[in-house]
Amino acid sequence: MGWKGTVRSINAAHRSYEREAQRRQRELDRQRKQFEKMQEIERVAYEVNVYENYIDLLLSVHKECSDVWDWSAIQSSQPPSSPEKSHTNEELAKSELDGFKPGFFDKMLKSVGSKRLESKRGTLEQNIEEARRTDELEYQESLQVYEKNYADWIAIHELSNRILLGDKEAYLDAIKQTDPFSDISELGSSLEFKVISDSLLEVTLHVNDEDVVPSEVKSQLKSGKLSVKKMPKGKFYGLYQDYICSCTLRVAREIFALLPLEMVIVNCLGNLLNSQSGHVEEKTISSVAIPRKTLERLNFEMLDPSDSMNNFVHRMTFKKTTGFSAVKSIEPSEFDIV
């Protein structure tokens, strides 16, 4: 092969190498795009899951509730036992001193061993003092725990007596001390309570505004891409109504779990536009009288919050195109239970 043929062979081999490198580069680019696409699909799936979970949270506020308070059991409960002072550590240290015997080298080296014995015995005697102080410290700590538990028992025992006697102030004290709504931010900004009688409580719930419901619908297309569409008015207001009704049920459940009442009136207050003044005003948008016996018959896992209001005496003016309108709150005097 002449020098020209050699050059052609070298160039051909070089071009072949370049083509292989280019093919490898294209393959890596394809894998990168596929990886990025997979990452994007997973990111979209996560975003849609977060969105759907948030909607589920709004509509399932009523499905959870605190444990029921058995005030009769609390009233008959026994006070905590006072601690007894223990000497366990001291007795253990004493047994070590009593069982102390000179070692082999202590006997062999009499003069030096005597000092060693005194030192060891002194250490063991010192250990007894430290053990005695440890016993005292443990007793004082137990005593502090007992005194706190006893004070708590006295407080809850006295509260149970007042509640079982139908003391109205005791009802409010129980709500304040247990604070069953402290971690339910989904309910709204605040709650107010008014004890009408030992059987009836009125609750005013300042609910979250409509913006608690997303204005968009998020879903994942078959291609894996994110679809974001404006939520239809009917669906938007329908979700907001379910949310308000779900909060209403939750408030009633928490109150009945805490107090021996027969009925709860839940008034939900929300911001509505006054078309005459052009200002947003807080008005009653829902008022529901909920008897305990009726509520206890409901299946909270399966019911539709808005539809469930038909189980109770309620006032609610709602349109899927415009949402809530102001209503008049139910008066406790409308029931014989007062």
Side-chain angles (χ1 to χ4, degrees), residues 79-80 145-155:
V145 172
Y146 161 74
E147 289 173 349
K148 182 183 181 304
N149 291 339
Y150 185 77
D152 291 342
W153 179 85
I154 288 291

Side-chain angles (χ1 to χ4, degrees), residues 65-213:
C65 184
S66 303
D67 294 334
V68 176
W69 286 73
D70 189 341
W71 294 104
S72 296
I74 293 174
Q75 185 188 50
S76 60
S77 65
Q78 296 299 312
S81 301
S82 58
E84 295 183 1
K85 190 171 182 179
S86 171
H87 302 280
T88 303
N89 293 298
E90 181 182 358
E91 290 171 355
L92 181 61
K94 283 183 177 179
S95 66
E96 290 182 357
L97 177 60
D98 295 340
F100 172 70
K101 295 180 180 179
F104 175 77
F105 288 104
D106 296 324
K107 296 177 180 179
M108 290 291 294
L109 305 172
K110 294 183 179 180
S111 59
V112 177
S114 177
K115 294 181 180 179
R116 285 163 58 91
L117 286 173
E118 291 177 5
S119 177
K120 288 183 178 180
R121 187 176 296 278
T123 299
L124 292 174
E125 290 174 348
Q126 186 179 355
N127 289 344
I128 294 175
E129 282 300 316
E130 291 179 357
R132 191 177 290 122
R133 286 193 292 268
T134 299
D135 287 332
E136 179 64 23
L137 180 62
E138 290 178 352
Y139 172 70
Q140 292 300 326
E141 290 176 349
S142 299
L143 195 60
Q144 288 180 0
V145 172
Y146 161 74
E147 289 173 349
K148 182 183 181 304
N149 291 339
Y150 185 77
D152 291 342
W153 179 85
I154 288 291
I156 197 69
H157 193 262
E158 290 178 350
L159 182 61
S160 67
N161 290 334
R162 293 167 57 205
I163 286 177
L164 294 175
L165 289 173
D167 185 340
K168 296 180 182 180
E169 288 299 319
Y171 287 3
L172 296 177
D173 288 343
I175 294 173
K176 183 178 180 181
Q177 291 179 29
T178 61
D179 199 6
F181 306 103
S182 61
D183 60 343
I184 314 176
S185 59
E186 299 98 329
L187 287 179
S189 58
S190 62
L191 294 99
E192 298 164 9
F193 307 94
K194 183 179 180 181
V195 181
I196 307 301
S197 69
D198 60 357
S199 300
L200 176 60
L201 181 75
E202 188 177 42
V203 182
T204 299
L205 170 62
H206 300 264
V207 299
N208 290 314
D209 292 335
E210 293 176 355
D211 57 9
V212 71
V213 176

Side-chain angles (χ1 to χ4, degrees), residues 241-242 245-246 248-249 286-291 294-295 297-298 303-318 330:
Q241 183 190 29
D242 280 341
C245 296
S246 184
T248 299
L249 292 172
S286 171
S287 184
V288 188
I290 304 178
T294 304
L295 189 74
R297 290 198 297 265
L298 301 183
L303 62 73
D304 178 281
S306 296
D307 291 345
S308 73
M309 294 297 104
N310 292 319
N311 293 294
F312 318 110
V313 174
H314 71 283
R315 290 174 186 160
M316 184 186 302
T317 301
F318 175 83
I330 294 173

